[in-house]
Amino acid sequence: MGLLAGLPTLAHAAAFDVDHAAQLWLNTLSGPAKARSDAYFEGGEWLALWNALFSVGICWFLLRIRLLPAVRDGMHRRGWRPWLGVLACALVFIMADSLLSLPWAIYEGYWREKQYGLLNQSLGAWLGDQAIGLALSAVFGSVLLLVIYAVIRKYPKRWWLIGTGVVGLAITFLVLITPVFIVPLFNTSSELPNGPVRERVVAMAKANGVPAEHIYLVDESRQSDRISANVSGIGPTIRISLNDNLLKKTSVAETAAVMGHELGHYVLGHVWRMIVVLTLLMGLLLWLASRIAPALIRYGRESWGVRGLADPASLPVLAGLLSVLSLLATPVTNTLIRVDESEADAFGLDAAREPDGFAATAMKLSAYRKIEPGPLEEMLFFDHPSGKTRVTMAMQWKKDHVPNAVEVVPSPLPDPKTPGSRP
Ligand SMILES: [Zn+2]
């Protein structure tokens, strides 16, 4: 079977059967490897629910022990200004929340990832990355909350509207600084070395009017075995990067197919569109929170010691509420992202003209994404098209664009459990 990999069969183009060609690709994942891929992804679907419940539990616990009212009153007794009270409450909340959820985070982010062979880090290195993440959340989160609570105090009725603007600016700022200030805290980026991959990417970029002086290679194999590429940044910081796993584990045709997809995000302006769409969605969540939170605070007033929404001790109420609302909004968020991803897929097929390379990488993503979900499952839980959707799209493209298209018989994906099968 392995020797025949990639050899065209004698089927003629007129007879090119999209579903059959797609099925040959889907057949490369079967048995225990497929069960494992399904289990990892389905477990993740449940984790989204448990995460929201867990976060509500932590918020409820912090309200019951009246942690933030104690911080607020302590600051007040010292005669410190209200904004310092907000800052102290925000920092204490972010720290307490991270500490209480640490065992769960270790299970989900470290232990479970190790079980599925997706993490390359030691516990110490993983915790180090988490600490950097926590420091970033503490700095950005507390500044953001400082502004949001100032807005709530000044505009008790319309705060959600101005708050949406503030969140939109915060998202834009984070996207802007991510490639230059945040990524380097976790990884090293270098120029993609000269060679066939770079030549292909530069040629595609030029053909599509994308500046290609820099293409970045990120050493994400430090953290995991996942293959990945992305467009990050905005305006002066926008860039296309791929990780070293993609370079190591895929052929030139496959890498070209992935980079065609990333060029699609760039050319189609998806970064801006996503900022606008996510800000609008956040506006809806904040509006709902502005309607529901006051009732919750009235309900818990006696036992929680929260005086109102403008009181920074209300933070756990807002945070718990927003985690539930975000969970409920997940299918919408996923669909908004998936639409862009599907557009980028179509663009990438046109740009790279590697339908089989595209199908091959779509199958390799089975390491962390279920390949054949039901239609409802794909709509609810998938933020990228599933492997089956992608492979079928690629084979349809091949039928429509490749004269005399022939099927390839791909070799089965290596079983991730087999020692030595992973580079
Ligand atoms: Zn994408």
Side-chain angles (χ1 to χ4, degrees):
M1 188 69 186
L3 283 172
L4 291 170
L7 282 186
T9 66
L10 294 173
H12 189 264
F16 188 81
D17 179 342
V18 172
D19 289 333
H20 188 261
Q23 194 57 50
L24 289 179
W25 277 107
L26 293 172
N27 290 347
T28 60
L29 181 74
S30 61
K34 185 172 186 188
R36 189 179 170 81
S37 163
D38 290 353
Y40 177 74
F41 193 86
E42 287 161 15
E45 294 169 359
W46 284 104
L47 278 175
L49 175 66
W50 300 135
N51 282 338
L53 291 179
F54 200 73
S55 148
V56 168
I58 288 178
C59 289
W60 180 81
F61 173 73
L62 293 177
L63 285 167
R64 282 310 301 253
I65 63 167
R66 293 172 168 242
L67 180 66
L68 296 191
V71 174
R72 174 199 65 202
D73 296 345
M75 299 298 278
H76 186 71
R77 271 198 302 279
R78 286 175 178 79
W80 288 3
R81 290 174 177 279
W83 71 268
L84 275 172
V86 177
L87 200 61
C89 282
L91 282 173
V92 169
F93 176 75
I94 293 169
M95 292 298 170
D97 180 48
S98 304
L99 209 64
L100 290 171
S101 51
L102 185 62
W104 178 255
I106 291 175
Y107 162 72
E108 182 182 1
Y110 177 77
W111 191 81
R112 183 170 183 267
E113 294 292 298
K114 279 273 187 201
Q115 290 298 98
Y116 282 96
L118 291 169
L119 196 75
N120 290 337
Q121 282 178 302
S122 66
L123 183 60
W126 183 84
L127 285 171
D129 275 2
Q130 300 305 303
I132 298 171
L134 175 60
L136 287 172
S137 311
V139 172
F140 287 110
S142 53
V143 172
L144 179 64
L145 287 167
L146 199 60
V147 179
I148 294 282
Y149 272 96
V151 172
I152 295 178
R153 281 200 303 277
K154 200 155 166 48
Y155 307 96
K157 291 255 179 292
R158 293 256 175 270
W159 69 267
W160 65 271
L161 190 60
I162 299 154
T164 303
V166 172
V167 171
L169 286 177
I171 297 176
T172 311
F173 177 70
L174 275 180
V175 172
L176 177 75
I177 66 163
T178 291
V180 278
F181 291 112
I182 297 185
V183 171
L185 297 175
F186 299 93
N187 289 95
T188 307
S189 304
S190 52
E191 275 294 340
L192 175 64
N194 287 325
V197 171
R198 190 174 178 112
E199 277 167 28
R200 276 297 293 271
V201 179
V202 168
M204 277 193 297
K206 281 196 175 142
N208 289 285
V210 176
E213 306 89 76
H214 303 292
I215 294 149
Y216 294 92
L217 181 66
V218 188
D219 67 341
E220 283 174 6
S221 61
R222 275 189 62 202
Q223 283 97 357
S224 85
D225 268 353
R226 296 174 185 230
I227 55 173
S228 178
N230 67 51
V231 178
S232 60
I234 197 162
T237 66
I238 194 164
R239 59 179 61 182
I240 292 181
S241 322
L242 64 152
N243 75 14
D244 50 352
N245 293 324
L246 182 70
L247 196 62
K248 268 184 278 181
K249 291 181 170 197
T250 64
S251 67
V252 176
E254 291 166 27
T255 312
V258 174
M259 298 312 276
H261 168 104
E262 300 306 334
L263 288 172
H265 283 310
Y266 190 111
V267 172
L268 301 169
H270 284 168
V271 178
W272 271 118
R273 197 159 87 185
M274 203 38 64
I275 288 175
V276 171
V277 165
L278 291 181
T279 301
L280 290 177
L281 187 68
M282 196 60 203
L284 176 66
L285 300 192
L286 287 181
W287 177 76
L288 285 168
S290 76
R291 306 286 117 167
I292 303 170
L296 285 174
I297 292 171
R298 272 197 301 279
Y299 162 81
R301 190 182 290 263
E302 295 304 316
S303 52
W304 297 346
V306 179
R307 293 175 185 150
L309 197 57
D311 175 3
S314 68
L315 193 44
V317 178
L318 270 186
L321 189 54
L322 284 174
S323 48
V324 173
L325 292 173
S326 309
L327 176 75
L328 294 175
T330 310
V332 179
T333 321
N334 282 345
T335 298
L336 291 169
I337 299 173
R338 203 175 58 247
V339 167
D340 279 6
E341 293 301 331
S342 185
E343 270 186 29
D345 282 353
F347 186 99
L349 283 165
D350 287 338
R353 306 188 66 81
E354 294 285 0
D356 290 298
F358 186 78
T361 37
M363 293 307 297
K364 283 181 181 168
L365 296 182
S366 61
Y368 56 88
R369 192 177 293 133
K370 189 174 177 175
I371 288 292
E372 292 188 68
L376 184 65
E377 186 181 16
E378 183 156 355
M379 200 193 82
L380 293 177
F381 296 112
F382 278 63
D383 62 359
H384 282 65
S386 69
K388 184 178 185 183
T389 303
R390 287 181 141 168
V391 165
T392 308
M393 185 190 219
M395 292 305 106
Q396 185 64 50
W397 187 94
K398 189 173 175 182
K399 182 184 167 95
D400 296 344
H401 294 86
V402 179
N404 304 320
V406 286
E407 282 177 350
V408 301
V409 182
S411 33
L413 283 167
D415 182 350
K417 271 273 193 181
T418 313
S421 68
R422 285 204 322 269

